Amino acid sequence: MKTLKPLNLLLIFLLELAVLAAACSWGFARDARWLVRILLGVGAPAALAVVWGLCGAPDARYKTRGAVRVLFEVAWFGSGAAALAAVGWTGAALVFAVVAVVSKALAVLWRQ
């Protein structure tokens, strides 16, 4: 158990990064002109990173708590799963969503 808790925190961090990577993939996979794909591929993860920095990070300026935090994280990890599904990687989206739910449930249970 002592080893699992830090590993779960690492997994959550990697899932947070995976949301940004999924948004990047979604942007570059759009059926649009190359400039639009570049703007979406760079802009979508950049916008998500700003939102995370303002509301989701441990030292966020507008830190969310309680039910608002739950809704924020559902939207955050849900956007990653939705981006993967939109690119056509439905299996990866499902695995991502399940791993995120289990990892966050363990974090709540372990008060992380």
Side-chain angles (χ1 to χ4, degrees), residues 25-105:
S25 296
W26 169 84
F28 284 118
R30 297 300 82 217
D31 185 22
R33 301 186 129 183
W34 65 271
L35 182 59
V36 173
R37 288 195 313 264
I38 290 172
L39 288 173
L40 289 174
V42 173
L48 283 171
V50 168
V51 169
W52 182 261
L54 289 173
C55 303
D59 58 346
R61 181 178 218 175
Y62 305 104
K63 191 154 180 76
T64 55
R65 289 181 169 52
V68 174
R69 180 63 182 202
V70 172
L71 291 174
F72 176 80
E73 290 191 0
V74 166
W76 176 264
F77 293 110
S79 70
L84 290 171
V87 173
W89 300 339
T90 53
L94 181 61
V95 169
F96 178 84
V98 168
V99 170
V101 167
V102 170
S103 182
K104 290 306 293 185

